[in-house]
Amino acid sequence: MSSTPSPEIAAFWREFSDAQASLQAQPLRERVESANVIIERHLAGLALEMSGGEDDVVVDLIVTAHGSTDNFPLLMQVVAAAPVLQSYRVRAFRERTTQPDFPIGMDGFELATSDVLIACGQDDGQAALEIRFVREIPEDYWDHARNMAFIMLDHVLGEYDFAVKVGAVDFVDEASDPLTPWVPLSQFAPVFDRYWVDTLGRTSDFPMGEHDWTGMTLAFSGQGDPTGDTDDAQESEDTAIVMVNRSANPVAMRADLTYALTLDLSVGTRDELAAVQDLQDQAATLLELPQLGIMAYTMTRAGRRKAVYYVGDEQLAKQALAPLLLRDEAESLELTIAFDPAWSGYFEFAVHCE
């Protein structure tokens, strides 16, 4: 996440700040509509919601991407760039409802959270949900019921948790695991939180002391012929050594560790491998001491070793690593950063090391 807002973000906040007086003169519902006209002029894919009373001097201004993780980086940049506003507290993401027992209607069909039962399981690093309804759903309203269940989940779990922490969602007649309890959606949030911590181990506590690493060897094979003669194609195979930091699991998917930063360097000789490993370990120390990030896994393959760290702020991470990146062994460095809030890169390997 860049610390410098884009021109579009700056223009949005400038126009919104200038419009505060006129917005305050409107009823809350109309104020939300007017605010969204402003953001739509500058930032596609985002919307604004407001939480508070008509007469509140200050209300919460919620920036939402309606659950689209593709727009989460932009959303977080917008919130980070927010100026001090006289009448608004700016927040990222639609939060959990404080009243989870509620109904919603769609095209004459009504469904309540108490009509929806949830069973929680595991989908690699994420939580998997199975859903069934306790009331009869007319055949013509099945699609409505499914859509309404997703909307309800967004409100019950909150936008970020539902979009990032939940993987597969299946509508079933009975749970795939008969021992898994069914819980009404109206009571599901604390059950989900307990599952996240007690079963998946996501305490959010940054690991201290020596980390627990485990390794495995992967084989990559495929068809290919450097001569281009497909009739004589031969199989080629290469291997990779992957080391996974088990101690990173407690902070996986934390909202302030959403970017995968990769330091990829060449390791042509044993001495180069040792030097690169030392550099990447020092990078981990520089990030982990101030809790700017954590080294999640490494992969050594085809003469290169890459280390992947999950960080919250791209610029702060680069500043912390700047002295290392000037060293001679960093000459072959390829540094990349990608938004990966679900830690999919980490769990691609971590699930095989359990």
Side-chain angles (χ1 to χ4, degrees):
M1 179 171 60
S2 174
S3 300
T4 304
S6 68
E8 294 79 10
I9 293 174
F12 159 67
W13 281 124
R14 188 163 52 247
E15 183 176 352
F16 186 91
S17 298
D18 292 344
Q20 277 192 93
S22 62
L23 289 172
Q24 290 306 105
Q26 302 175 33
L28 191 60
R29 181 180 294 274
E30 294 179 12
R31 203 186 313 170
V32 174
E33 294 174 355
S34 298
N36 276 291
V37 170
I38 296 174
I39 198 169
E40 288 168 6
R41 274 200 283 267
H42 303 281
L43 302 165
L46 300 185
L48 298 173
E49 298 176 356
M50 295 183 189
S51 177
E54 289 282 356
D55 300 323
D56 290 349
V57 176
V58 178
V59 300
D60 290 323
L61 181 68
I62 302 159
V63 186
T64 174
H66 295 307
S68 171
T69 54
D70 289 343
N71 291 321
F72 278 11
L74 176 61
L75 185 158
M76 292 188 290
Q77 291 165 19
V78 169
V79 172
V84 176
L85 300 170
Q86 183 177 357
S87 304
Y88 300 96
R89 290 181 295 264
V90 181
R91 298 206 320 251
F93 304 110
R94 183 186 301 115
E95 295 185 350
R96 294 180 177 184
T97 179
T98 58
Q99 299 177 325
D101 193 353
F102 63 89
I104 62 173
M106 183 180 292
D107 295 337
F109 177 73
E110 186 172 284
L111 191 70
T113 51
S114 56
D115 297 326
V116 181
L117 295 183
I118 309 288
C120 192
Q122 188 169 349
D123 179 16
D124 290 340
Q126 296 172 301
L129 304 184
E130 294 182 329
I131 300 176
R132 66 184 177 93
F133 302 107
V134 297
R135 52 164 290 191
E136 189 71 25
I137 306 296
E139 185 175 348
D140 292 346
Y141 287 100
W142 261 104
D143 288 341
H144 284 68
R146 291 187 179 99
N147 290 337
M148 293 159 79
F150 274 95
I151 294 170
M152 290 173 170
L153 276 164
D154 181 87
H155 285 279
V156 169
L157 294 181
E159 179 178 6
Y160 186 88
D161 281 2
F162 183 42
V164 172
K165 296 181 179 180
V166 174
V169 178
D170 295 315
F171 292 86
V172 299
D173 294 325
E174 57 183 38
S176 56
D177 182 352
L179 298 180
T180 300
W182 289 100
V183 181
L185 180 53
S186 55
Q187 303 170 25
F188 181 59
V191 174
F192 179 85
D193 291 341
R194 285 195 300 271
Y195 184 84
W196 193 253
V197 174
D198 296 343
T199 302
L200 298 185
R202 310 286 160 65
T203 63
S204 290
D205 296 330
F206 212 88
M208 306 299 291
E210 289 292 324
H211 292 188
D212 177 19
W213 287 81
T214 186
M216 60 183 172
T217 301
L218 300 179
F220 299 84
S221 62
Q223 297 284 336
D225 179 8
T227 67
D229 186 352
T230 56
D231 291 336
D232 296 324
Q234 298 178 348
E235 286 192 4
S236 62
E237 181 178 282
D238 67 283
T239 59
I241 299 174
V242 178
M243 298 296 297
V244 176
N245 184 2
R246 292 177 184 265
S247 298
N249 180 69
V251 296
M253 302 185 210
R254 236 173 55 172
D256 61 345
L257 296 172
T258 55
Y259 287 85
L261 183 150
T262 301
L263 300 183
D264 189 339
L265 296 117
S266 63
V267 288
T269 66
R270 187 180 297 273
D271 288 343
E272 288 177 349
L273 175 60
V276 164
Q277 182 173 344
D278 179 65
L279 184 149
Q280 291 171 338
D281 288 346
Q282 289 187 46
T285 300
L286 290 174
L287 292 173
E288 290 166 11
L289 284 178
Q291 298 189 10
L292 293 174
I294 188 168
M295 182 191 265
Y297 68 94
T298 67
M299 176 186 284
T300 305
R301 178 188 181 192
R304 297 191 70 86
R305 187 180 196 264
K306 70 176 183 180
V308 178
Y309 313 77
Y310 281 89
V311 303
D313 188 295
E314 175 184 357
Q315 296 304 322
L316 287 178
K318 287 182 177 179
Q319 290 171 17
L321 299 181
L324 292 180
L325 305 186
L326 296 175
R327 285 168 41 172
D328 291 343
E329 53 265 45
E331 182 179 358
S332 65
L333 174 69
E334 294 179 6
L335 188 154
T336 59
I337 190 160
F339 186 66
D340 184 16
W343 285 42
S344 59
Y346 174 75
F347 285 106
E348 179 181 1
F349 305 114
V351 294
H352 299 294
C353 297
E354 296 177 352

